[in-house]
Amino acid sequence: MKISEAIRFVPFYLYNYLTRNKIYKKMNHIDENISDIYDYAIKNVPFYMRNKTFPIINKQIIQDNLNDFISNDYDKDELIKTTTSGSYGTPSTFYRNKDKKINQITDVLIFGRHNNYYFGVKHGFIRGIKKSKKSLFIQNEIHLDPQNLNQKAMEEYYIKLKKVNHIIGFPSVILNFIDFCEKFKLKRLTNISGVTCTAEPLTVEDRDKISKFFNCPVLTRYASEEVGIIANRLPGETFYRVNNVSVKIDIYKFDSDEKQEDGLEGRIIVTDYYSHAMPLINYDTGDTGVMETIIRDGVEIKCLKEITGRLVEHLYDEKDDLISPFAINVLLKDYQKIGQFQFIQLDKAKYRLIVTGEIDNTYKDEIITDLKKILGNNIDLLIEQVYEIPSLKSGKRPYIRNEYKKE
């Protein structure tokens, strides 16, 4: 541990130990009497006073009834306001109380143990919005801008990443950095002790590529600004462990508010146990996935087999039938020459595939033939080669984009 990390780490954990506060208790698995979020919501939240059956809610319903979702126990002006990035639609506002924020921080630290992340560790954070100088100093963080991935930007990444022990952020950017290093035969960075991938889909193969390149464990975090950590794919595992202490996950069908069977894709619906100021019960995250039950050390674990994407990332074939983005990801991962890719549906039966790799016409024809098996023989598909895949305003570079039907 470096001196700059120790002067942050030691006081933080010493204070938590001496005060036996909420962070200490949760990190050491000490049970607390947490109010039942369902009973609490019915008694204190206007929306649930009227809707005691807890219907499925989403961002739009919340924004249309914002004040009714805030508990009568709290003054909205004294709560912590959070605004989602709006990468896939209109930005949404949520409110948290102090305990909720503490819970989110604690979850980050608990799961961070699996890939060498701890409070005070010197880390590079790939994110579109830069924090204040004060926050960067306190958190021992170096900001990495994801907007540009050209050679100059990657050279700056290389210099900055020499100074950190941990990397957090978009996997597409990390993979681009790896490709840059391999292309120019740069010396591998041996100072990275862990990587945390966030905000974008990440295949197991790409996860293993990152782990092999940096020779360190990689954790894939599934989270949202409003809820916090929902699930994690731990190093070496192929499934996502649900953050059962803080949330409950259910998978619902696409066309009805009925629970989906295990093994079948559906909408990810979350209940947040700690969201007392603004309860999120049966909250449609906008993401899609598949639930399964596995056995680990003789114990049944309910987990997310796969997070297949966001509902707005789903595609439609030539007959206008819904297609999972996972089908495209699985197919294209076998075409290693394409490098990074982005698949966009422009209109009905009209698509565009952007790739960063150099491929010839024969290779393109093979890809088109296979994609037609999924989308239909009469589709219009253009494959375009670029140096860098353009990002959204948030800095994300989603594998799949739907410009035809935006939910």
Side-chain angles (χ1 to χ4, degrees):
M1 183 181 296
K2 298 177 181 178
I3 294 177
S4 67
E5 296 175 342
I7 62 176
R8 293 168 172 84
F9 174 88
V10 174
F12 177 78
Y13 281 96
L14 183 61
Y15 172 78
N16 292 330
Y17 173 75
L18 293 175
T19 60
R20 295 297 199 274
N21 60 21
K22 294 179 182 294
I23 291 179
Y24 174 86
K25 289 177 179 178
K26 190 172 184 184
M27 292 190 71
N28 289 277
H29 309 290
I30 298 174
D31 292 333
E32 293 183 88
N33 294 321
I34 302 173
S35 300
D36 186 294
I37 192 66
Y38 301 95
D39 289 342
Y40 178 86
I42 289 174
K43 294 175 183 177
N44 298 281
V45 182
F47 179 85
Y48 291 110
M49 291 176 181
R50 301 193 307 269
N51 298 276
K52 297 181 180 181
T53 58
F54 303 109
I56 303 296
I57 60 173
N58 55 33
K59 285 186 174 69
Q60 191 61 57
I61 292 173
I62 293 171
Q63 299 311 302
D64 289 345
N65 303 273
L66 193 57
N67 290 330
D68 284 352
F69 273 94
I70 298 175
S71 167
N72 292 330
D73 280 348
Y74 296 90
D75 181 342
K76 185 172 74 172
D77 294 335
E78 296 177 358
L79 296 173
I80 303 166
K81 183 179 179 180
T82 302
T83 303
T84 59
S85 64
S87 297
Y88 298 91
T90 304
S92 301
T93 300
F94 296 85
Y95 291 90
R96 297 175 291 174
N97 59 314
K98 185 178 179 181
D99 284 350
K100 172 59 184 173
K101 184 175 181 179
I102 289 174
N103 177 69
Q104 290 178 317
I105 294 171
T106 307
D107 283 343
V108 169
L109 296 174
I110 289 173
F111 289 103
R113 294 167 172 171
H114 294 279
N115 68 330
N116 302 311
Y117 179 83
Y118 50 87
F119 184 84
V121 66
K122 185 77 171 180
H123 63 281
F125 203 150
I126 304 167
R127 54 182 286 151
I129 301 174
K130 187 176 181 179
K131 299 177 182 177
S132 67
K133 290 183 179 180
K134 180 181 177 181
S135 293
L136 291 173
F137 175 78
I138 292 174
Q139 297 176 34
N140 212 6
E141 179 177 310
I142 291 179
H143 177 253
L144 298 168
D145 191 341
Q147 294 294 341
N148 295 312
L149 300 182
N150 55 31
Q151 182 175 333
K152 181 180 179 181
M154 291 298 98
E155 288 172 353
E156 293 177 357
Y157 264 54
Y158 191 80
I159 294 171
K160 288 182 177 180
L161 290 178
K162 283 183 177 181
K163 303 175 183 178
V164 305
N165 290 344
H166 201 97
I167 304 173
I168 303 173
F170 305 145
S172 62
V173 178
I174 298 173
L175 289 164
N176 187 83
F177 174 75
I178 291 173
D179 291 342
F180 164 78
C181 291
E182 291 178 340
K183 178 180 180 180
F184 291 98
K185 297 181 172 53
L186 298 180
K187 183 179 178 181
R188 293 196 178 191
L189 301 178
T190 59
N191 52 295
I192 306 299
S193 62
V195 176
T196 300
C197 292
T198 65
E200 294 176 336
L202 178 66
T203 64
V204 172
E205 291 79 10
D206 281 342
R207 186 272 308 271
D208 292 343
K209 178 179 179 179
I210 294 172
S211 180
K212 181 179 179 181
F213 181 82
F214 290 109
N215 191 28
C216 71
V218 176
L219 182 145
T220 310
R221 180 190 298 165
Y222 170 44
S224 70
E225 289 283 348
E226 62 273 23
V227 177
I229 293 180
I230 299 171
N232 294 272
R233 188 164 60 198
L234 303 184
E237 295 185 342
T238 58
F239 58 91
Y240 289 81
R241 291 179 182 262
V242 178
N243 181 14
N244 290 315
V245 176
S246 297
V247 304
K248 178 172 77 77
I249 291 182
D250 292 299
I251 304 296
Y252 276 66
K253 295 178 179 180
F254 288 115
D255 55 359
S256 68
D257 287 345
E258 298 177 8
K259 289 187 179 181
Q260 181 63 284
E261 299 176 29
D262 279 9
L264 298 180
E265 186 183 19
R267 296 175 290 150
I268 296 178
I269 309 297
V270 172
T271 293
D272 183 349
Y273 295 140
Y274 284 83
S275 59
H276 289 82
M278 189 176 185
L280 298 177
I281 301 173
N282 288 337
Y283 171 60
D284 190 333
T285 63
D287 301 318
T288 59
V290 178
M291 190 76 82
E292 71 173 354
T293 301
I294 64 172
I295 306 295
R296 279 292 182 273
D297 300 322
V299 179
E300 284 192 355
I301 299 176
K302 199 83 168 177
C303 65
L304 280 170
K305 178 181 179 181
E306 201 64 58
I307 299 169
T308 50
R310 294 187 64 81
L311 187 55
V312 293
E313 291 170 340
H314 280 61
L315 304 167
Y316 296 83
D317 63 15
E318 65 176 4
K319 296 179 181 179
D320 234 19
D321 290 331
L322 195 65
I323 298 293
S324 169
F326 191 55
I328 305 298
N329 286 346
V330 170
L331 171 65
L332 293 180
K333 75 179 178 62
D334 291 330
Y335 285 94
Q336 298 179 1
K337 292 181 182 179
I338 67 175
Q340 300 296 306
F341 75 87
Q342 187 175 78
F343 191 86
I344 306 170
Q345 180 161 16
L346 303 170
D347 205 336
K348 182 178 180 180
K350 186 175 182 179
Y351 312 88
R352 179 174 157 207
L353 174 62
I354 303 174
V355 302
T356 60
E358 296 182 4
I359 56 177
D360 57 28
N361 289 332
T362 301
Y363 204 75
K364 289 181 180 179
D365 289 341
E366 291 178 9
I367 296 173
I368 291 172
T369 298
D370 278 345
L371 285 171
K372 284 184 175 182
K373 294 176 182 177
I374 297 174
L375 299 167
N377 290 322
N378 299 313
I379 63 171
D380 179 2
L381 173 60
L382 172 67
I383 298 180
E384 179 183 355
Q385 184 181 326
V386 299
Y387 175 78
E388 177 185 334
I389 292 175
S391 69
L392 302 175
K393 290 181 180 180
S394 65
K396 297 178 183 178
R397 288 173 171 78
Y399 295 115
I400 307 295
R401 289 174 55 189
N402 189 335
E403 300 295 335
Y404 167 47
K405 292 184 179 181
K406 294 185 177 181
E407 301 293 337

